[in-house]
Amino acid sequence: MQKRRTRTVSVAALEPGTGKSAVVLGLVDVLARRAGRTAFLRPVVAATDPPDPDIELVRHHFKLPQGHAASFALTAAELHSPRDALLSRVMEAWAALAAESDVVVVEGSDMTSSPASEVDLDASIAVHLESPVLLVVGGRDRTGPAVLDAVRRDVTALVDRGCELLGVVCNRVDPDQVDAVRDGLPTASGGLPGGVLPELPLLAAPTVAEIAETLGAARVAGDPATAREIERVIVGAMGLPHFLDRIREADLVITPGDRADLVAGTLAAHLSGAYPAVAGLVLTGGSVDPAVRRLANGLGAAGVPVLSVAGDTYDTVSAVGRVRAALRPGGDRKIAAALQLFDTAVDHEALARRLAVARPTRTTPLMFEQRLLDRARADRRHIVLPEGDDDRILAAADQLLHRGVVDLTLLGPEADIKARASALGLALPGAHILDPATSPWRADFARAYADLRRHRGVGLPMALDLMADGTYFGTMMVRQGAADGMVSGATHTTAHTIRPAFEVIRTAPGVSLVSSAFLMCLPDQVVVYADCAVVPNPDADQLAEIALSAADTATMFAIEPRVAMLSYSTGESGTGADVDLVRDATARVRARRPDLPVAGPIQFDAAVDPGVARTKLPDSDVAGRATVFVFPDLNTGNNTYKAVQRAGGAVAVGPVLQGLAQPVNDLSRGASVHDIVTTVAITAIQAQA
């Protein structure tokens, strides 16, 4: 077993229903930012099929390299073995994860079968792993004094079993009781760190997919997997006019399968935008009238899932009430809400100090991405998103706003954006929505644009037409100070995104060229690749400009710039026009920035491998340890970053446009919600600089 270098922390609850998963998610998030390579272990899972939901949640959200089988030691069916044998299995599983990690988070049992024996096993595991325990105490349906009584009881139970307590988190506490519980915790007198998380209805709300799975429902129309959380159940039994007056946002409508009037009316009301957006419909009785089925499929554009169950309405309502909601992979809205709740309610700085977690010298992709969000959040900027009608943009905006990363303006017709967000179950707290076509700023922006482009023959009528376009309008918002930066490209081409920026924002002082860089998140460090997206065949002066901008980009994101000017030859060994161009560009970089470590021409292997560097450029302070890689042309750069991304498993963040006076960034049209969140955070950091 390896030397005890890896930190381990256990999360335990001594009763079911505490919301432990949300606390685990928040703790892993904090440690991933601070501690480096993070692993996750559940000593005991209910079974191997289906996979444990908490393991899958943490693995997928934090992109952990470990497989599901490596993430647990035992199943519930194996707990009859002798205690020593069980502990040995857990220690083996922990050691395998610890060998490749800086910190291991261990989540205890769910206390659903034999709580007393599960508490004993969790405590024994924590003691044998020398792992302090973060205790989670449930507050649901308890008064403040009752929560504090439970804290005292559970703390005593763990201490009596020899556990070291890291802290106490009370979760799912009545919001009216939060202050009283916080004041009564051991944390209040400077003792154990922790916090009090109020009950958040969103986290306890089941999704339509969970309802469908639990009830074994058949799909009639729509896709339950893409549906939102349910906030209330309503039974459709009365006439349609009275029923429509009673529906609310995110209702689950349960009605007999022969009520064509209610099905058609509910879906039509949803499509109209004049009524609240329901989450789904469940048709009871097992038999769906053919007319109802045709209506449901015909109105499928409503985006509302329609399910069928065999039970009657009463039994179905009762069964829905027993469905247990869970945090699951892909539940981005719930995950963002849980992380924000933990971040604001728990003293995670005190937890990290008590764990003696030091920031590692290496930077993992996860750490880098988390630090981007932290930096953006620390000095919030206002970013405009022109593609307010895109589902990915709306989902990313919801996450960014829930986590307080930036302030946002979404462009597009307000009614359309709100209706689509409502259908997706997105709250968009605090979002500004502007329609360029009707905004009072349109005329002012058009006059300013016409003045800027008069030398190109642009008059006011053309400028007015252009300002109805979201990208042009958003760019002018940045130019005129109504926003600090813009992110576009989810549905627009790169040219459509960056052309307005070239026209009206232009380059920063002292910079003559707009180029791009990718932040390449390798397994143990982050480096910069440039230019991989904008300048096809730079001359020597342009290549030097790209190198200087890339070095500034590296510095902006806390990467010490050591610049490698890449070529097919290293040092003075090669000749030819391509090598001479890189050699000339390197000389220009040195002339303009004598303080900047730069090597060129240099081959990629000499730039990254210390052994090769000692042979080819033994006296270089860049060779073997480069952090900024400048490619000789766009063809080489674009292919290289994609090869490293796909074959090497790197995370490519970008492209980041560099050289503009104000930040505008382009998305790939295949961008994921995660890509959009990261790009917005990068844009905010550029705006801070």
Side-chain angles (χ1 to χ4, degrees), residues 16 52 151 153 198 219 257 300 314 348 364 387 435 477 522 610 623 667:
D52 182 78
V151 169
R153 178 199 68 205
R219 185 179 70 87
Y314 177 82
H348 45 79
T364 67
E387 298 155 321
D435 185 353
M477 283 183 65
L522 307 177
L667 297 164

Side-chain angles (χ1 to χ4, degrees), residues 9-14 20-21 24 40-45 52 54 105-111 118-119 121-123 125 133-134:
V9 57
S10 297
V11 182
L14 275 59
K20 173 164 53 70
S21 301
V24 167
F40 179 66
L41 175 66
R42 289 214 74 183
V44 183
V45 297
D52 182 78
D54 285 6
V105 176
V106 179
E107 181 185 354
S109 302
D110 291 330
M111 305 296 158
E118 291 179 56
V119 170
L121 181 59
D122 281 353
I125 290 169
V133 178
L134 180 63

Side-chain angles (χ1 to χ4, degrees), residues 439-671:
S439 170
W441 290 348
R442 181 181 176 187
D444 292 339
F445 286 176
R447 283 189 289 270
Y449 180 82
D451 288 344
L452 289 166
R453 303 293 291 169
R454 196 175 308 281
H455 66 291
R456 293 289 187 178
V458 175
L460 186 58
M462 179 185 291
L464 274 169
D465 285 344
L466 287 174
M467 288 310 115
D469 178 276
T471 303
Y472 272 92
F473 188 92
T475 304
M476 287 303 296
M477 283 183 65
V478 177
R479 162 83 190 194
Q480 300 298 94
D484 298 309
M486 183 181 82
V487 173
S488 187
T491 58
H492 294 123
T493 65
T494 294
H496 190 86
T497 296
I498 66 178
R499 184 186 300 114
F502 289 169
E503 291 174 355
V504 303
I505 291 179
R506 301 171 184 168
T507 57
V511 178
S512 61
L513 181 73
V514 175
S515 59
S516 75
F518 276 89
L519 302 170
M520 300 297 294
C521 301
L522 307 177
D524 60 356
Q525 70 173 143
V526 180
V527 297
V528 176
Y529 282 10
D531 176 3
C532 304
V534 177
V535 185
N537 293 293
D539 58 28
D541 195 54
Q542 290 174 321
L543 197 58
E545 189 78 65
I546 291 169
L548 293 169
S549 292
D552 289 340
T553 296
T555 300
M556 184 183 301
F557 293 101
I559 302 167
E560 182 181 352
R562 294 186 291 273
V563 182
M565 306 291 287
L566 297 172
S567 177
Y568 61 78
S569 177
T570 296
E572 302 299 324
S573 64
T575 59
D578 292 339
V579 179
D580 290 343
L581 182 145
V582 175
R583 187 174 288 120
D584 186 5
T586 304
R588 294 174 189 236
V589 171
R590 289 193 177 114
R592 291 179 60 179
R593 287 277 302 275
D595 61 309
L596 182 65
V598 58
I602 185 171
Q603 291 162 286
F604 193 90
D605 60 347
V608 300
D609 188 319
V612 176
R614 283 192 294 271
T615 301
K616 294 188 174 183
L617 278 181
D619 298 324
S620 171
D621 56 354
V622 171
R625 51 200 296 265
T627 58
V628 177
F629 298 81
V630 180
F631 296 94
D633 55 61
L634 184 60
N635 181 54
T636 306
N638 190 270
N639 279 293
T640 301
Y641 106 75
K642 287 181 177 177
V644 173
Q645 178 188 30
R646 300 297 180 183
V651 177
V653 178
V656 178
L657 294 183
Q658 51 190 22
L660 286 169
Q662 294 164 286
V664 170
N665 280 310
D666 177 42
L667 297 164
S668 162
R669 275 174 283 177

